[in-house]
Amino acid sequence: MNNEKLTNQNKEQEEIIDDSKLRLIIKNIIELENENVKTRELNDDAIKKKIEKIIEEEVKCC
């Protein structure tokens, strides 16, 4: 019974971490896109590469 509770708590913590990571990724991507709309500095391929980098960094971290 105690092991089951711990397992459920661990799953809930993982979901919280994943959700917070997802929110951070989305926030960073939106900021990148908004900045690029203003400056038109990056083309589609460059934006794609930066988005991939944002995702990879967050997934590797923690």
Side-chain angles (χ1 to χ4, degrees):
M1 184 83 170
N2 286 338
N3 287 339
E4 186 176 321
K5 283 184 181 181
L6 288 175
T7 302
N8 287 339
Q9 287 175 346
N10 288 340
K11 287 181 183 178
E12 288 174 9
Q13 288 175 346
E14 287 176 10
E15 289 175 10
I16 290 170
I17 293 170
D18 290 340
D19 188 48
S20 63
K21 279 186 183 182
L22 180 60
R23 289 179 189 272
L24 185 59
I25 290 169
I26 292 170
K27 178 181 174 256
N28 289 339
I29 291 171
I30 291 171
E31 288 174 356
L32 175 66
E33 290 282 0
N34 285 340
E35 184 64 29
N36 196 53
V37 166
K38 293 175 189 174
T39 64
R40 302 277 183 198
E41 184 178 321
L42 304 170
N43 63 21
D44 288 344
D45 288 335
I47 286 286
K48 180 183 171 189
K49 288 178 185 176
K50 286 203 172 231
I51 290 172
E52 288 172 350
K53 185 175 179 182
I54 289 170
I55 294 169
E56 286 174 5
E57 287 176 355
E58 283 302 317
V59 170
K60 286 180 185 176
C61 177
C62 308

